[in-house]
Structures are given as C-alpha cells and as structure tokens.
Amino acid sequence: MASLNGVAGVSRIVADNKKTALITGITGQDGSYLTELLLEKEYAVHGVVRRTSNLLRSRIEHLRSDEKVYGKSLFLHYGDLSDGTTLRRIFSEVQPTELYHLAGQSHVGLSFEIPESTCEEIGMATLRLLEIVRDQPQSVKFYHASSSEIFGNAAESPQTELTPLRPASPYGCAKAFATQLARVYRESYGLFVANGILYNHESPRRGENFVTRKIARVVARIARGLEEELLLGNLESRRDWGRAQDYVTAMWLMLQQDKPADYVVATGETHSVRDFVEAAFAVVNLPSKKYVKHNPAFDRPTEPARLVGSPEKIRVELGWRPQGSFTDLVREMVEAELATVDAGKDT
Ligand code: NAP
Ligand code: F7E
C-alpha cells in the first residue's frame, strides 16, 4: 500500500473476506478504542483524518507505526466533514459495510464560543453522510454518535430513549438535529441507522480540556510538585461517567443487530464534579480543599445540572453492561497521569 504523507494512499482498496468499517473521528478518544476493538475482530478499518500541521496522531500512533497493521488492516484517508465530494469518493473506494460517524467538535463549553462551526460539523455533516449512505449500492449500517446533551435540562430522570429533547447548548442543539435526522432517514428510506445516545465516557485518552482528564492531570502534577492549584468552573453539576472502552463495545453491538434502533448508553449512576475531584485527590492522599479554586472562565452560560441515563434497554436487548466503578475510573485516570509525569513526558 502506497503511503501519502503518512496516510495510506486512497487507491482502490479491497479487503477480501473481512468486514469493512469506515470511521470518522478515528483520531479521537472513541475512534482510537473502536479501531483497536474492530482490529481485534479482524475488520478492515478505514479512518478519515484531517490534514494537520503535525503528522503525529497520538491516540492511534501505536497502530500506524505497526507494520503488521498499517496498510494491511488499517487504512487512513485524508478528508474533512465539510468536504462532501471527498467523503463520497472515500465511500466508493472503501465500500464500507459499517460506518461509525464519530467526528465533530465535541466540547460543549466551546460550542458557545464557536457555535457556527460546531453546528456545521455536527449537524450538516451528519446530513451529508446520511445522503452519501443513501446512495450506496451496498447496504451500510450507520452508527451516529448522539449524546446525552440532547436532553439538556431533562424533563425526567433517569433519561431513556423516549425522553423529550431539550438541549441547553449549541452542541446539544446540533446533536439533537443530527439525532432526529438519523431517525427520519431510518424511517423514510429504511436505512440502518442507530443513534447511540452516549453519556460522558472517559479514559486516559480523553482530551485534556474535558473536566475528568483535566482534574486527573493537574492532581498528578500537584502530587509531583509541578503545579499548585486546580482551577475549575461548576463543581456541583452532576454527570453519568463511564469508561470509554465499554462504550465503543456498545457502538459495535448496535451495528450487529438485524434491526436498527436507538440506545441510551450510560451507567445509571450520577456523581458531581466535586465527587470526581475528591476521589482524584484521594488517589494521591492530598486534601482537595487546599488546591481547588473557582475560575469563572470555566463556567458556561447555561448547562444541564444533572444528567443520568437508564441503560435498561441496551442491557436487556443487547446484553451490554458497564464494567468497573466510578472510583476505579478515577484511579485509572490519575495513575495514568502519574505514570506520564514520572516518565518525564509531561514536565
Ligand atoms: P474527540 O476525542 O473530541 O474526537 C473528535 C474526532 O473528530 C477527532 O478525531 C477529530 O479529529 C475529528 N474531527 C473533528 N472535526 C472534524 C472535521 N471537521 N473533519 C474530520 N474530522 C473531524 O471526541 P470523542 O470523545 O472521541 O467523541 C466521539 C464522538 O462522540 C463525538 O461526536 C462526540 O461529540 C460524541 N460523544 C462523546 C461523548 C464522550 O463522553 N466522549 C459522549 C457523547 C457523545 P482531530 O484529531 O483532527 O481533531
Ligand atoms: O464537563 C463541568 C462542566 O467538558 C463536565 C463531551 O464528551 O459529555 C461531554 O460533555 C462538567 C460540566 O463534559 C470545568 O461545566 C467544571 O458540567 O468534561 P466536560 P460535558 O460538557 O459533560 C457529553 C455527553 C458530550 O456529548 C460531549 O461531547 O464539568 N466543569 N469545571 C468543567 N468542564 C470543563 N471542561 N473544564 C472545567 O474546568
């Protein structure tokens, strides 16, 4: 396979006897874990990557530099959610049987600062992909990365697949639009489209400006004497936090069914940001009160106070269950940051 600036060339690619998946957002937290899962299941995995000034794609670099994998069962293609002609060309070359659409601006707080590009990337890009899938000669199972943010200031608790949508941010509005479109395309054209309504899921690969990774990283740096304070916004908001590795399994399960449906993917437990902070400082045996300060720059104009999902449907229909506890998740994230600091990689 020819290599084009570190990306497998987009000449016609046929992977015999393998299921073929196309992933948008392959370089993100979920994309990287999903790629590992699908490679384990012997898929041919194709990912869309954007042109960046830095070729290093840290979450999938271990796979890209593996000669047994890259160019053999993993292929990357330059593309962008805004570039419909290129996405269409990638589709005709790859001929995927499963599409995992994970790409887009994923930070809720930032969506207040960059609402137009957020809505374009999340809303219009999903429409673009639905139209492309509709035109494919082969049937393509489409996973859409919906979000608990569609429920916003939720009408009920816990939320289910039937809870009314009341988004409270540009991000939530864009995801609600894309989720409804996915339903309309499923019902109107008989496409296999599944909305995974995912609650917050975290890991050591989480982006550094999401609250769990930020807390884990700063707590590790405080423990090693590299920082003196942890500046945060709203400590009282409550979220349903699970492990990213479990949530990508749920995505895959949704596309292995005979009929498409929407599923809430959640733990069913809620914790406050303050709980996460206290659990993180407990890992390093330090008192959180001494280090945590409020910085209004991290407050949002409005946001859901409390989100918690009911995983009942996915448990009963697909046999999915989250693994590990909240405390295990916090410990795993803080220990990963301590290891990074101790290895001299975050000085
Ligand atoms: P993430 O780490 O922020 O990854 C986002 C991915 O989208 C990255 O690969 C990014 O590429 C890519 N991307 C962004 N804009 C793009 C564009 N214009 N063209 C092509 N690629 C683009 O997000 P995540 O946590 O893995 O989440 C995956 C999806 O699930 C997102 O849609 C998110 O909104 C949704 N979701 C996440 C959660 C959660 O708790 N993690 C919960 C519910 C829903 P670069 O690497 O080049 O930036
Ligand atoms: O914030 C509060 C913040 O940015 C969680 C995305 O994956 O999950 C994620 O969205 C809470 C919020 O995640 C800081 O106000 C306090 O109440 O980690 P977050 P999120 O907004 O819940 C949903 C399901 C998605 O779909 C999204 O893609 O923490 N908070 N202080 C803070 N948040 C951040 N980021 N930084 C702070 O300093």
Side-chain angles (χ1 to χ4, degrees):
M1 175 63 51
S3 177
L4 180 72
N5 296 329
V7 175
V10 286
S11 54
R12 175 115 173 79
I13 294 156
V14 179
D16 293 330
N17 306 322
K18 283 191 168 189
K19 279 190 174 178
T20 303
L22 179 62
I23 304 178
T24 71
I26 192 168
T27 54
Q29 170 188 257
D30 293 2
S32 66
Y33 286 120
L34 179 65
T35 301
E36 289 169 359
L37 178 79
L38 297 180
L39 289 173
E40 264 169 43
K41 294 186 182 297
E42 304 201 331
Y43 278 63
V45 179
H46 294 258
V48 179
V49 294
R50 315 194 251 194
R51 187 269 159 186
T52 46
S53 64
N54 186 345
L55 281 185
L56 195 67
R57 299 180 173 93
S58 60
R59 296 187 183 100
I60 57 167
E61 196 50 34
H62 59 296
L63 300 172
R64 211 193 62 79
S65 59
D66 184 338
E67 287 176 5
K68 292 195 288 301
V69 172
Y70 189 59
K72 299 196 170 60
S73 46
L74 171 64
F75 309 89
L76 301 179
H77 308 263
Y78 278 123
D80 194 287
L81 290 176
S82 61
D83 182 346
T85 51
T86 303
L87 292 173
R88 204 170 267 280
R89 192 176 67 243
I90 294 171
F91 257 83
S92 50
E93 287 172 349
V94 170
Q95 296 180 9
T97 48
E98 294 177 15
L99 168 67
Y100 295 88
H101 173 37
L102 311 180
Q105 197 295 95
S106 68
H107 198 285
V108 177
L110 281 177
S111 78
F112 287 96
E113 290 179 38
I114 47 170
E116 189 175 334
S117 58
T118 300
C119 291
E120 169 63 33
E121 280 176 16
I122 293 175
M124 292 310 290
T126 303
L127 173 60
R128 211 164 275 137
L129 285 165
L130 286 164
E131 277 293 315
I132 293 174
V133 165
R134 195 181 146 203
D135 289 345
Q136 295 310 298
Q138 80 281 16
S139 75
V140 182
K141 290 182 167 180
F142 187 139
Y143 172 83
H144 170 241
S146 182
S147 163
S148 51
E149 286 288 318
I150 62 176
F151 299 129
N153 292 313
E156 59 186 6
S157 194
Q159 297 86 48
T160 73
E161 294 75 8
L162 302 176
T163 299
L165 311 194
R166 283 190 188 172
S169 64
Y171 172 88
C173 290
K175 285 286 184 192
F177 171 82
T179 303
Q180 297 289 40
L181 266 179
R183 289 176 179 162
V184 167
Y185 272 62
R186 182 168 69 209
E187 282 153 25
S188 309
Y189 303 118
L191 296 185
F192 188 115
V193 191
N195 284 306
I197 306 170
L198 270 55
Y199 284 63
N200 302 50
H201 46 281
E202 316 295 318
S203 75
R205 294 187 195 169
R206 187 59 142 148
E208 285 178 11
N209 59 354
F210 293 90
V211 80
T212 56
R213 176 85 193 278
K214 176 176 169 180
I215 294 167
R217 181 165 177 268
V218 176
V219 165
R221 290 172 63 78
I222 289 173
R224 294 297 185 256
L226 297 172
E227 281 194 44
E228 289 174 355
E229 55 187 14
L230 170 57
L231 302 177
L232 290 170
N234 183 2
L235 290 179
E236 307 314 327
S237 69
R238 299 185 77 86
R239 293 289 181 272
D240 179 330
W241 277 295
R243 286 173 72 243
Q245 296 92 321
D246 298 340
Y247 286 47
V248 302
T249 302
M251 296 175 190
W252 174 77
L253 278 172
M254 283 178 221
L255 295 201
Q256 307 318 304
Q257 308 311 307
D258 292 333
K259 288 197 178 139
D262 298 342
Y263 292 94
V264 161
V265 185
T267 68
E269 270 183 37
T270 174
H271 296 272
S272 66
V273 175
R274 187 184 296 283
D275 294 339
F276 198 102
V277 167
E278 284 170 5
F281 275 101
V283 174
V284 295
N285 286 318
L286 288 173
S288 63
K289 281 199 173 59
K290 186 172 165 194
Y291 301 100
V292 178
K293 299 206 168 62
H294 180 246
N295 183 338
F298 298 113
D299 290 337
R300 298 173 184 178
T302 173
E303 70 164 332
R306 179 177 191 275
L307 285 171
V308 59
S310 164
E312 185 66 7
K313 181 178 175 191
I314 193 165
R315 187 180 63 75
V316 172
E317 292 187 9
L318 309 191
W320 179 87
R321 278 190 177 74
Q323 308 292 311
S325 67
F326 172 74
T327 323
D328 295 338
L329 172 67
V330 179
R331 175 170 292 280
E332 182 192 351
M333 291 184 71
V334 174
E335 286 179 348
E337 297 300 328
L338 288 168
T340 303
V341 175
D342 293 345
K345 290 183 188 156
D346 185 11
T347 48

